[in-house]
């Protein structure tokens, strides 16, 4: 009961200057997170330096909820590498392994076929209509490292958005009521 | 400064940082391992070798694969993904790699093995260049750690070739 009274008191005693200071601090935290993310995008050369594994198609190696660190270098794509790619028309990136590579002699361009370790057949069923291979422009990055379980936070927030709102609401309340 | 909220925040931040450092050190410990794997592949039989209606060559073969990959396992290894790929050049393509067979090795005990198998995945060329062609069979392995950096390597075995005529 006393905590609620204190909260109401502190909301009443807010001054404009204090509010602005706190808004700027919050802004600084958000922008530094953005800077770190964009910086990672530059260093790893990939549009999405960290992805969460969403399906069980690479089990038992990668389970749903693991996160993968991606890196995209100019090195040629070779069989066995785990790549993350987008299919035209699908928004969710897919993480599978390369099983076939055909590299053109003249242009250096490459045709690649992928397959999930835990899937029976290759990914031609997932590709766009009539597409037999992936090209380099479809591939967002190679998986170079991974951390287990950490991605569950993202999965929970995406699948149950109510938790996202609760978290942001709680954060907002903390910012308003803190006496810094 | 000493409220429950601040203490919880401090505790959580500290534990996440310690966890991250432990994961990094675990991954670095993989570099201390010096592996010495060995492998041998024999092509027992070319089952058939045809040109498909679309114009691409296809071949089916049976292989004996034996390998000892036990030294690749460390305490931080979750599994080893291995596959055998045929590698060859054609007039149009500077490199072709076709995965013929793969397996997951979940533990050190399973890492020394011998298997007699036909190709798990269809060996289809991009074109009809395979007659009489020489190719390499490469055993690749990808070490998937419990946490951290993944790394991969391979053994290249040369000297295989396709028959001169379809059969």
């Amino acid at each position: 009961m006393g905590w609620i009274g204190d909260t109401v008191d502190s909301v009443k005693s807010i001054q404009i200057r204090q509010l602005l200071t706190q808004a700027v601090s919050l802004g600084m935290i958000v922008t530094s997170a953005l800077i770190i993310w964009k910086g990672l995008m530059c260093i790893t050369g990939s549009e999405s330096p960290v992805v969460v594994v969403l399906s069980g198609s690479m089990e038992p190696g990668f389970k749903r909820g693991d996160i993968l660190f991606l890196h995209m270098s100019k090195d040629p794509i070779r069989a066995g590498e785990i790549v993350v790619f987008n299919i035209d028309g699908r928004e969710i990136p897919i993480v599978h392994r390369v099983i076939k590579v055909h590299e053109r002699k003249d242009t250096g361009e490459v045709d690649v076929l992928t397959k999930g370790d835990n899937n029976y057949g290759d990914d031609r069923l997932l590709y766009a209509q009539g597409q037999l291979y992936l090209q380099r422009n479809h591939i967002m990055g190679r998986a170079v490292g991974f951390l287990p379980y950490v991605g569950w936070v993202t999965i929970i927030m995406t699948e149950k958005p109510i938790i996202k709102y609760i978290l942001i609401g709680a954060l907002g309340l903390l910012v308003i009521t803190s006496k810094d | 400064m000493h409220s429950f909220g601040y203490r919880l925040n401090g505790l959580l931040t500290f534990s996440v940082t310690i966890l991250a450092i432990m994961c990094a050190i675990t991954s670095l410990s993989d570099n201390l391992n010096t592996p010495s794997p060995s492998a041998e592949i024999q092509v027992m039989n070319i089952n058939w070798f045809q040109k498909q209606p679309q114009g691409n060559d296809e071949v089916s073969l049976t292989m004996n694969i034996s390998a000892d990959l036990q030294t690749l396992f460390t305490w931080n290894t979750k599994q080893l993904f291995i596959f055998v790929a045929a590698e060859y050049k054609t007039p149009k393509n500077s490199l072709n790699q076709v995965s013929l067979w793969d397996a997951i090795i979940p533990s050190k005990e399973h890492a020394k093995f011998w298997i007699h198998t036909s190709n798990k995945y269809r060996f289809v060329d991009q074109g009809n260049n395979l007659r009489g062609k020489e190719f390499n069979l490469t055993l690749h392995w990808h070490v998937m750690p419990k946490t951290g950096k993944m790394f991969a390597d391979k053994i290249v075995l040369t000297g295989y070739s396709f028959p001169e005529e379809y059969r």
Side-chain angles (χ1 to χ4, degrees), chain A residues 50-131:
Chain A
V50 181
V51 290
V52 179
V53 176
L54 295 171
S55 73
S57 57
M58 286 292 283
E59 293 204 9
F62 301 143
K63 296 196 167 40
R64 200 168 124 87
D66 294 341
I67 66 169
L68 293 176
F69 298 107
L70 305 185
H71 188 87
M72 192 64 191
S73 64
K74 287 268 181 297
D75 292 341
I77 300 171
R78 292 283 173 257
E81 292 176 349
I82 299 173
V83 295
V84 179
F85 57 91
N86 272 316
I87 304 289
D88 305 324
R90 283 175 192 252
E91 34 168 70
I92 303 179
I94 305 176
V95 185
H96 282 168
R97 199 182 291 270
V98 172
I99 59 168
K100 234 178 164 219
V101 171
H102 293 291
E103 183 177 276
R104 290 253 182 292
K105 193 185 291 191
D106 42 9
T107 61
E109 277 166 25
V110 71
D111 283 337
V112 152
L113 179 62
T114 58
K115 173 182 173 292
D117 289 349
N118 207 24
N119 289 346
Y120 184 71
D122 59 39
D123 289 345
R124 288 218 166 108
L125 292 170
L126 294 174
Y127 296 167
Q129 186 72 274
Q131 184 183 7

Coordinates of all heavy atoms in Angstrom, one line a residue, chain A residues 50-131:
Chain A
V50 N 22.5 -11.6 -36.5 CA 22.1 -12.7 -35.5 C 20.7 -13.1 -35.9 O 19.8 -12.3 -36.1 CB 22.0 -12.1 -34.1 CG1 21.6 -13.2 -33.1 CG2 23.4 -11.5 -33.7
V51 N 20.5 -14.4 -36.0 CA 19.1 -14.9 -36.3 C 18.7 -16.0 -35.2 O 19.6 -16.6 -34.7 CB 19.0 -15.6 -37.7 CG1 19.1 -14.6 -38.8 CG2 20.0 -16.7 -37.9
V52 N 17.4 -16.1 -35.0 CA 16.9 -17.1 -34.1 C 16.4 -18.3 -34.9 O 15.8 -18.1 -36.0 CB 15.7 -16.5 -33.3 CG1 15.2 -17.6 -32.4 CG2 16.2 -15.3 -32.5
V53 N 16.8 -19.5 -34.5 CA 16.3 -20.7 -35.2 C 14.8 -20.9 -34.9 O 14.5 -21.0 -33.7 CB 17.1 -21.9 -34.8 CG1 16.6 -23.2 -35.4 CG2 18.6 -21.7 -35.1
L54 N 14.0 -21.0 -35.9 CA 12.6 -21.0 -35.7 C 12.0 -22.4 -35.9 O 10.9 -22.7 -35.3 CB 11.8 -20.1 -36.6 CG 12.1 -18.6 -36.3 CD1 11.5 -17.8 -37.5 CD2 11.6 -18.2 -35.0
S55 N 12.6 -23.3 -36.7 CA 12.0 -24.6 -36.9 C 13.0 -25.7 -36.5 O 14.1 -25.4 -36.2 CB 11.7 -24.7 -38.4 OG 12.9 -24.9 -39.1
G56 N 12.5 -26.9 -36.5 CA 13.3 -28.0 -36.1 C 14.0 -28.7 -37.3 O 14.4 -29.9 -37.1
S57 N 14.1 -28.0 -38.4 CA 14.7 -28.7 -39.6 C 16.2 -28.9 -39.5 O 16.7 -29.6 -40.4 CB 14.3 -27.9 -40.8 OG 14.8 -26.6 -40.8
M58 N 16.9 -28.4 -38.5 CA 18.3 -28.7 -38.5 C 18.6 -29.4 -37.2 O 19.8 -29.4 -36.7 CB 19.1 -27.3 -38.5 CG 19.2 -26.7 -39.8 SD 20.1 -27.6 -41.0 CE 21.8 -27.2 -40.4
E59 N 17.7 -30.1 -36.6 CA 18.0 -30.9 -35.4 C 18.8 -32.1 -35.8 O 18.7 -32.5 -36.9 CB 16.6 -31.3 -34.7 CG 15.9 -30.1 -34.2 CD 14.9 -30.5 -33.1 OE1 15.0 -31.6 -32.7 OE2 14.2 -29.6 -32.7
P60 N 19.5 -32.7 -34.9 CA 19.7 -32.2 -33.5 C 20.8 -31.2 -33.3 O 21.1 -30.8 -32.2 CB 20.2 -33.5 -32.8 CG 20.8 -34.3 -33.9 CD 20.2 -33.9 -35.1
G61 N 21.3 -30.6 -34.4 CA 22.4 -29.6 -34.3 C 21.8 -28.3 -33.7 O 22.3 -27.8 -32.7
F62 N 20.8 -27.8 -34.4 CA 20.2 -26.5 -33.9 C 18.8 -26.8 -33.6 O 18.0 -27.3 -34.4 CB 20.3 -25.5 -35.1 CG 21.6 -25.2 -35.5 CD1 21.9 -24.9 -36.9 CD2 22.7 -25.1 -34.7 CE1 23.1 -24.6 -37.3 CE2 24.0 -24.8 -35.1 CZ 24.2 -24.6 -36.5
K63 N 18.5 -26.4 -32.4 CA 17.1 -26.6 -31.9 C 16.3 -25.2 -32.0 O 17.0 -24.2 -32.0 CB 17.0 -27.1 -30.5 CG 17.7 -28.5 -30.4 CD 17.3 -29.1 -29.1 CE 17.6 -30.6 -29.1 NZ 18.9 -31.0 -29.7
R64 N 15.0 -25.3 -32.0 CA 14.2 -24.1 -32.0 C 14.6 -23.3 -30.7 O 14.6 -23.8 -29.6 CB 12.8 -24.5 -31.9 CG 11.8 -23.4 -32.3 CD 10.4 -24.1 -32.5 NE 9.4 -23.4 -31.7 CZ 8.8 -22.3 -32.1 NH1 9.0 -21.8 -33.3 NH2 7.9 -21.8 -31.3
G65 N 14.9 -22.0 -30.9 CA 15.3 -21.1 -29.8 C 16.7 -20.9 -29.7 O 17.2 -20.1 -28.9
D66 N 17.6 -21.5 -30.5 CA 19.0 -21.2 -30.5 C 19.2 -20.0 -31.3 O 18.4 -19.7 -32.2 CB 19.8 -22.4 -31.1 CG 19.7 -23.6 -30.3 OD1 19.4 -23.5 -29.1 OD2 20.0 -24.7 -30.8
I67 N 20.3 -19.3 -31.0 CA 20.6 -18.2 -31.9 C 21.9 -18.4 -32.7 O 22.8 -19.1 -32.2 CB 20.7 -16.8 -31.2 CG1 21.8 -16.7 -30.2 CG2 19.4 -16.4 -30.5 CD1 22.0 -15.3 -29.7
L68 N 22.0 -18.0 -33.9 CA 23.1 -18.2 -34.8 C 23.8 -16.9 -35.1 O 23.1 -15.9 -35.4 CB 22.7 -18.8 -36.1 CG 22.1 -20.2 -36.0 CD1 21.7 -20.6 -37.4 CD2 23.2 -21.2 -35.5
F69 N 25.1 -16.8 -35.1 CA 25.8 -15.6 -35.5 C 26.2 -15.8 -36.9 O 26.8 -16.8 -37.3 CB 27.1 -15.5 -34.6 CG 26.8 -15.3 -33.2 CD1 27.0 -16.3 -32.3 CD2 26.2 -14.1 -32.7 CE1 26.7 -16.1 -30.9 CE2 25.9 -13.9 -31.4 CZ 26.1 -14.9 -30.5
L70 N 25.9 -14.8 -37.7 CA 26.1 -14.9 -39.2 C 27.3 -14.1 -39.6 O 27.6 -13.1 -39.0 CB 24.9 -14.5 -40.0 CG 23.6 -15.2 -39.6 CD1 22.6 -14.7 -40.6 CD2 23.8 -16.7 -39.7
H71 N 28.0 -14.5 -40.7 CA 29.0 -13.7 -41.2 C 29.0 -13.9 -42.7 O 28.8 -15.0 -43.2 CB 30.4 -14.1 -40.7 CG 31.5 -13.2 -41.0 ND1 31.8 -12.1 -40.3 CD2 32.3 -13.3 -42.1 CE1 32.9 -11.5 -40.9 NE2 33.2 -12.2 -42.0
M72 N 29.1 -12.8 -43.5 CA 29.1 -13.0 -44.9 C 30.4 -12.4 -45.5 O 30.6 -11.2 -45.4 CB 27.9 -12.2 -45.5 CG 27.6 -12.5 -47.0 SD 27.2 -14.3 -47.1 CE 27.2 -14.5 -48.9
S73 N 31.2 -13.3 -46.0 CA 32.5 -12.8 -46.6 C 32.4 -13.0 -48.1 O 31.5 -13.7 -48.6 CB 33.7 -13.5 -46.0 OG 33.6 -14.8 -46.3
K74 N 33.4 -12.5 -48.8 CA 33.4 -12.7 -50.2 C 33.9 -14.1 -50.6 O 33.9 -14.5 -51.8 CB 34.4 -11.7 -50.9 CG 33.9 -10.3 -50.9 CD 33.2 -10.0 -52.2 CE 32.7 -8.6 -52.4 NZ 31.7 -8.2 -51.4
D75 N 34.3 -14.9 -49.6 CA 34.7 -16.3 -49.9 C 33.6 -17.0 -50.7 O 32.4 -16.8 -50.4 CB 35.0 -17.0 -48.6 CG 36.2 -16.5 -47.9 OD1 37.0 -15.8 -48.6 OD2 36.3 -16.8 -46.7
P76 N 34.0 -17.9 -51.6 CA 33.0 -18.6 -52.3 C 32.2 -19.6 -51.4 O 32.7 -20.0 -50.4 CB 33.8 -19.4 -53.3 CG 35.1 -19.5 -52.8 CD 35.3 -18.3 -52.0
I77 N 30.9 -19.8 -51.8 CA 30.1 -20.7 -51.0 C 30.4 -22.1 -51.4 O 30.4 -22.5 -52.5 CB 28.6 -20.4 -51.3 CG1 28.3 -18.9 -51.0 CG2 27.7 -21.3 -50.5 CD1 27.0 -18.4 -51.4
R78 N 30.6 -22.9 -50.3 CA 31.0 -24.3 -50.6 C 30.1 -25.3 -49.9 O 29.4 -24.9 -48.9 CB 32.4 -24.5 -50.1 CG 33.5 -23.8 -50.9 CD 33.8 -24.5 -52.2 NE 34.6 -23.8 -53.1 CZ 34.2 -23.1 -54.1 NH1 33.0 -23.0 -54.4 NH2 35.1 -22.4 -54.9
A79 N 30.1 -26.5 -50.3 CA 29.2 -27.5 -49.8 C 29.5 -27.7 -48.3 O 30.6 -27.7 -47.9 CB 29.4 -28.8 -50.5
G80 N 28.4 -27.9 -47.5 CA 28.6 -28.2 -46.1 C 28.4 -26.9 -45.3 O 28.1 -27.1 -44.1
E81 N 28.5 -25.8 -45.9 CA 28.3 -24.6 -45.1 C 26.8 -24.4 -44.7 O 26.0 -24.8 -45.5 CB 28.8 -23.3 -45.8 CG 30.3 -23.4 -46.0 CD 30.8 -22.2 -46.9 OE1 30.0 -21.5 -47.5 OE2 32.0 -22.1 -46.9
I82 N 26.6 -23.8 -43.5 CA 25.2 -23.6 -43.1 C 24.9 -22.1 -43.5 O 25.6 -21.2 -43.0 CB 25.1 -23.8 -41.6 CG1 25.4 -25.3 -41.3 CG2 23.6 -23.5 -41.2 CD1 25.4 -25.6 -39.9
V83 N 23.9 -22.0 -44.4 CA 23.6 -20.6 -44.8 C 22.2 -20.2 -44.5 O 21.3 -21.1 -44.3 CB 23.8 -20.5 -46.4 CG1 25.2 -20.7 -46.8 CG2 22.9 -21.5 -47.1
V84 N 22.0 -18.9 -44.3 CA 20.7 -18.4 -44.1 C 20.3 -17.6 -45.3 O 21.0 -16.8 -45.9 CB 20.8 -17.4 -42.9 CG1 19.4 -16.8 -42.6 CG2 21.3 -18.1 -41.7
F85 N 19.1 -18.0 -45.8 CA 18.7 -17.4 -47.1 C 17.2 -17.0 -47.1 O 16.4 -17.5 -46.2 CB 19.0 -18.3 -48.3 CG 18.3 -19.7 -48.1 CD1 17.0 -19.9 -48.6 CD2 18.9 -20.7 -47.5 CE1 16.4 -21.2 -48.5 CE2 18.3 -22.0 -47.4 CZ 17.1 -22.2 -47.9
N86 N 16.9 -16.1 -48.0 CA 15.5 -15.7 -48.1 C 15.0 -16.1 -49.5 O 15.7 -16.0 -50.5 CB 15.4 -14.1 -48.1 CG 15.3 -13.6 -46.8 OD1 14.5 -14.1 -46.0 ND2 16.0 -12.6 -46.4
I87 N 13.8 -16.6 -49.5 CA 13.2 -17.0 -50.8 C 12.3 -15.8 -51.2 O 11.6 -15.2 -50.4 CB 12.3 -18.2 -50.6 CG1 13.1 -19.4 -50.1 CG2 11.6 -18.6 -51.9 CD1 14.0 -19.9 -51.0
D88 N 12.3 -15.5 -52.5 CA 11.5 -14.4 -53.0 C 10.1 -14.7 -52.6 O 9.5 -15.7 -52.9 CB 11.6 -14.3 -54.5 CG 13.0 -14.1 -55.0 OD1 13.8 -13.4 -54.3 OD2 13.3 -14.7 -56.1
G89 N 9.4 -13.7 -52.0 CA 8.0 -13.9 -51.7 C 7.8 -14.5 -50.2 O 6.7 -14.5 -49.7
R90 N 8.9 -15.0 -49.6 CA 8.7 -15.4 -48.2 C 9.6 -14.4 -47.3 O 10.7 -14.1 -47.7 CB 9.3 -16.8 -48.0 CG 8.4 -17.9 -48.6 CD 9.2 -19.2 -48.4 NE 8.5 -20.2 -49.2 CZ 7.8 -21.2 -48.6 NH1 7.8 -21.3 -47.3 NH2 7.2 -22.1 -49.3
E91 N 9.0 -14.1 -46.2 CA 9.7 -13.1 -45.4 C 10.6 -13.7 -44.3 O 11.6 -13.2 -43.9 CB 8.8 -12.2 -44.7 CG 7.5 -12.9 -44.3 CD 6.6 -12.0 -43.4 OE1 6.1 -11.0 -43.8 OE2 6.6 -12.4 -42.2
I92 N 10.3 -15.0 -44.0 CA 11.1 -15.6 -42.9 C 12.4 -16.2 -43.5 O 12.3 -17.1 -44.4 CB 10.3 -16.7 -42.2 CG1 9.0 -16.0 -41.7 CG2 11.1 -17.3 -41.0 CD1 8.1 -17.0 -41.0
P93 N 13.5 -15.9 -43.0 CA 14.8 -16.5 -43.5 C 14.9 -18.0 -43.0 O 14.4 -18.3 -42.0 CB 15.9 -15.7 -42.8 CG 15.3 -15.0 -41.6 CD 13.8 -14.9 -41.9
I94 N 15.5 -18.8 -43.9 CA 15.6 -20.2 -43.6 C 17.1 -20.5 -43.4 O 18.0 -20.1 -44.1 CB 15.1 -21.0 -44.8 CG1 13.7 -20.6 -45.1 CG2 15.1 -22.5 -44.5 CD1 13.1 -21.3 -46.3
V95 N 17.4 -21.4 -42.4 CA 18.7 -21.8 -42.1 C 18.9 -23.2 -42.4 O 18.5 -24.1 -41.8 CB 19.0 -21.6 -40.6 CG1 20.4 -21.9 -40.2 CG2 18.6 -20.3 -40.1
H96 N 19.6 -23.5 -43.5 CA 19.9 -24.9 -43.9 C 21.3 -25.1 -44.4 O 22.0 -24.1 -44.6 CB 18.9 -25.3 -45.0 CG 17.5 -25.6 -44.5 ND1 16.4 -25.8 -45.4 CD2 17.0 -25.8 -43.3 CE1 15.4 -26.1 -44.6 NE2 15.7 -26.1 -43.4
R97 N 21.7 -26.3 -44.8 CA 23.0 -26.6 -45.2 C 23.1 -26.7 -46.7 O 22.2 -27.2 -47.3 CB 23.5 -27.9 -44.5 CG 24.9 -28.1 -44.5 CD 25.3 -29.4 -43.9 NE 24.9 -29.5 -42.4 CZ 25.8 -29.2 -41.5 NH1 27.0 -28.8 -41.8 NH2 25.4 -29.3 -40.2
V98 N 24.2 -26.3 -47.3 CA 24.4 -26.4 -48.7 C 24.8 -27.8 -49.1 O 25.8 -28.4 -48.5 CB 25.5 -25.4 -49.2 CG1 25.9 -25.7 -50.6 CG2 25.1 -24.0 -48.9
I99 N 24.1 -28.5 -50.0 CA 24.5 -29.8 -50.4 C 25.1 -29.9 -51.8 O 25.6 -30.9 -52.2 CB 23.4 -30.9 -50.2 CG1 22.2 -30.6 -51.0 CG2 23.1 -31.0 -48.7 CD1 21.2 -31.7 -51.0
K100 N 24.8 -28.9 -52.6 CA 25.3 -29.0 -54.0 C 25.7 -27.6 -54.4 O 25.1 -26.6 -54.2 CB 24.1 -29.4 -54.9 CG 24.4 -30.6 -55.7 CD 23.1 -30.9 -56.5 CE 23.4 -31.8 -57.6 NZ 22.7 -31.6 -58.9
V101 N 26.9 -27.6 -55.1 CA 27.4 -26.3 -55.6 C 27.8 -26.4 -57.0 O 28.5 -27.4 -57.4 CB 28.7 -25.9 -54.7 CG1 29.4 -24.7 -55.4 CG2 28.3 -25.6 -53.3
H102 N 27.4 -25.5 -57.9 CA 27.9 -25.4 -59.2 C 28.4 -24.0 -59.5 O 27.6 -23.1 -59.5 CB 26.8 -25.7 -60.3 CG 26.2 -27.1 -60.2 ND1 27.0 -28.2 -60.6 CD2 25.1 -27.6 -59.8 CE1 26.3 -29.3 -60.4 NE2 25.1 -29.0 -59.9
E103 N 29.7 -23.9 -59.6 CA 30.3 -22.5 -59.7 C 30.7 -22.3 -61.2 O 31.5 -23.1 -61.7 CB 31.5 -22.4 -58.8 CG 32.1 -21.0 -58.8 CD 33.2 -20.9 -57.8 OE1 33.0 -20.6 -56.7 OE2 34.4 -21.1 -58.3
R104 N 30.2 -21.2 -61.8 CA 30.5 -20.9 -63.2 C 32.0 -20.5 -63.3 O 32.5 -19.7 -62.5 CB 29.7 -19.8 -63.7 CG 28.2 -20.1 -63.9 CD 27.9 -20.2 -65.3 NE 26.4 -20.5 -65.5 CZ 25.9 -21.6 -65.1 NH1 26.6 -22.6 -64.6 NH2 24.6 -21.8 -65.2
K105 N 32.6 -21.0 -64.4 CA 34.0 -20.7 -64.6 C 34.2 -19.2 -65.0 O 35.0 -18.5 -64.5 CB 34.6 -21.6 -65.7 CG 36.1 -21.5 -65.8 CD 36.6 -22.3 -67.0 CE 36.3 -23.8 -66.7 NZ 37.0 -24.6 -67.7
D106 N 33.3 -18.8 -65.9 CA 33.5 -17.4 -66.5 C 33.1 -16.3 -65.5 O 33.8 -15.3 -65.3 CB 32.8 -17.3 -67.8 CG 31.4 -17.9 -67.7 OD1 30.9 -18.3 -66.6 OD2 30.7 -18.0 -68.8
T107 N 31.9 -16.4 -64.9 CA 31.5 -15.3 -64.1 C 31.8 -15.5 -62.6 O 31.7 -14.5 -61.8 CB 30.0 -15.1 -64.2 OG1 29.3 -16.3 -63.7 CG2 29.6 -14.9 -65.6
G108 N 32.1 -16.7 -62.2 CA 32.3 -16.9 -60.7 C 31.0 -17.0 -60.0 O 31.0 -17.2 -58.7
E109 N 29.9 -16.9 -60.7 CA 28.6 -17.0 -60.0 C 28.3 -18.4 -59.6 O 28.9 -19.3 -60.2 CB 27.4 -16.5 -60.9 CG 27.3 -15.0 -60.8 CD 26.5 -14.5 -61.9 OE1 25.6 -15.2 -62.5 OE2 26.6 -13.3 -62.3
V110 N 27.4 -18.6 -58.7 CA 27.3 -19.9 -58.1 C 25.8 -20.3 -58.0 O 25.0 -19.5 -57.7 CB 28.0 -20.0 -56.8 CG1 27.3 -19.2 -55.7 CG2 28.3 -21.4 -56.3
D111 N 25.5 -21.6 -58.3 CA 24.2 -22.2 -58.1 C 24.3 -23.1 -56.9 O 25.2 -24.0 -56.9 CB 23.7 -23.0 -59.3 CG 23.3 -22.1 -60.5 OD1 22.9 -20.9 -60.2 OD2 23.3 -22.5 -61.6
V112 N 23.4 -23.0 -56.0 CA 23.5 -23.7 -54.7 C 22.2 -24.4 -54.4 O 21.1 -23.8 -54.6 CB 23.9 -22.7 -53.6 CG1 23.4 -23.1 -52.3 CG2 25.4 -22.4 -53.6
L113 N 22.3 -25.6 -53.9 CA 21.1 -26.3 -53.5 C 21.2 -26.6 -52.0 O 22.3 -27.0 -51.5 CB 20.9 -27.7 -54.2 CG 19.7 -28.5 -53.9 CD1 18.4 -27.8 -54.2 CD2 19.8 -29.9 -54.6
T114 N 20.2 -26.4 -51.2 CA 20.3 -26.6 -49.8 C 19.3 -27.6 -49.3 O 18.4 -28.1 -50.0 CB 19.9 -25.3 -49.1 OG1 18.6 -24.9 -49.4 CG2 20.9 -24.2 -49.4
K115 N 19.6 -28.1 -48.0 CA 18.7 -29.1 -47.4 C 18.9 -29.0 -45.9 O 19.9 -28.7 -45.4 CB 19.1 -30.5 -47.9 CG 18.4 -31.6 -47.2 CD 18.9 -32.9 -47.7 CE 18.4 -34.1 -46.9 NZ 18.8 -34.1 -45.5
G116 N 17.7 -29.1 -45.2 CA 17.8 -29.1 -43.7 C 18.3 -30.5 -43.3 O 17.9 -31.5 -43.8
D117 N 19.2 -30.5 -42.3 CA 19.7 -31.8 -41.8 C 18.7 -32.8 -41.4 O 18.8 -34.0 -41.7 CB 20.6 -31.6 -40.6 CG 21.9 -30.9 -40.9 OD1 22.2 -30.8 -42.1 OD2 22.6 -30.5 -40.0
N118 N 17.6 -32.3 -40.8 CA 16.5 -33.1 -40.3 C 15.4 -33.4 -41.3 O 14.4 -34.0 -41.0 CB 16.0 -32.5 -39.0 CG 15.4 -33.5 -38.1 OD1 15.8 -34.7 -38.2 ND2 14.5 -33.1 -37.3
N119 N 15.5 -32.8 -42.5 CA 14.5 -33.0 -43.6 C 14.9 -34.2 -44.4 O 16.0 -34.5 -44.6 CB 14.4 -31.8 -44.5 CG 13.8 -30.6 -43.7 OD1 13.2 -30.8 -42.7 ND2 13.9 -29.4 -44.3
Y120 N 13.9 -34.8 -45.0 CA 14.1 -36.0 -45.9 C 14.7 -35.5 -47.2 O 15.6 -36.1 -47.7 CB 12.9 -36.8 -46.0 CG 13.1 -38.0 -46.8 CD1 13.9 -39.1 -46.3 CD2 12.7 -38.2 -48.1 CE1 14.1 -40.2 -47.0 CE2 12.9 -39.3 -48.9 CZ 13.7 -40.3 -48.3 OH 13.9 -41.5 -49.0
G121 N 14.0 -34.5 -47.8 CA 14.4 -34.1 -49.2 C 15.0 -32.7 -49.2 O 15.1 -32.0 -48.2
D122 N 15.6 -32.4 -50.4 CA 16.2 -31.1 -50.5 C 15.2 -29.9 -50.5 O 14.0 -30.2 -50.5 CB 17.1 -31.0 -51.7 CG 16.4 -31.3 -53.0 OD1 15.3 -30.8 -53.2 OD2 17.0 -32.0 -53.8
D123 N 15.7 -28.7 -50.6 CA 14.8 -27.6 -50.4 C 14.1 -27.1 -51.7 O 13.4 -26.0 -51.7 CB 15.6 -26.4 -49.9 CG 16.0 -26.6 -48.4 OD1 15.4 -27.5 -47.8 OD2 16.9 -25.9 -47.9
R124 N 14.1 -27.9 -52.8 CA 13.5 -27.4 -54.0 C 12.0 -27.1 -53.8 O 11.4 -26.3 -54.4 CB 13.7 -28.4 -55.1 CG 15.1 -28.4 -55.6 CD 15.2 -28.6 -57.1 NE 16.6 -28.3 -57.5 CZ 17.5 -29.2 -57.9 NH1 17.2 -30.4 -58.0 NH2 18.7 -28.8 -58.3
L125 N 11.4 -27.9 -52.9 CA 10.0 -27.6 -52.6 C 9.7 -26.2 -52.0 O 8.7 -25.7 -52.1 CB 9.5 -28.7 -51.6 CG 9.4 -30.1 -52.1 CD1 9.1 -31.1 -51.0 CD2 8.3 -30.2 -53.2
L126 N 10.8 -25.7 -51.3 CA 10.6 -24.4 -50.6 C 10.9 -23.3 -51.6 O 10.5 -22.1 -51.3 CB 11.6 -24.3 -49.4 CG 11.4 -25.2 -48.2 CD1 12.5 -25.1 -47.3 CD2 10.1 -24.9 -47.6
Y127 N 11.7 -23.5 -52.6 CA 12.1 -22.4 -53.5 C 10.9 -22.0 -54.3 O 9.9 -22.6 -54.3 CB 13.2 -22.9 -54.5 CG 14.5 -23.3 -53.8 CD1 15.5 -24.0 -54.6 CD2 14.8 -23.0 -52.5 CE1 16.7 -24.4 -54.0 CE2 16.0 -23.4 -52.0 CZ 17.0 -24.1 -52.7 OH 18.2 -24.5 -52.2
A128 N 11.1 -20.8 -54.9 CA 10.0 -20.2 -55.7 C 9.7 -21.2 -56.9 O 10.5 -22.0 -57.2 CB 10.4 -18.9 -56.2
Q129 N 8.5 -21.0 -57.4 CA 8.0 -21.8 -58.6 C 9.1 -21.9 -59.7 O 9.5 -20.8 -60.2 CB 6.7 -21.2 -59.1 CG 6.0 -22.0 -60.1 CD 5.4 -23.2 -59.6 OE1 6.0 -24.3 -59.5 NE2 4.1 -23.1 -59.2
G130 N 9.5 -23.1 -60.0 CA 10.5 -23.2 -61.2 C 11.9 -22.9 -60.8 O 12.8 -23.0 -61.6
Q131 N 12.2 -22.5 -59.5 CA 13.6 -22.2 -59.1 C 14.2 -23.5 -58.7 O 13.7 -24.2 -57.9 CB 13.6 -21.2 -58.0 CG 14.9 -20.8 -57.6 CD 14.9 -19.8 -56.4 OE1 13.9 -19.6 -55.8 NE2 16.0 -19.3 -56.0

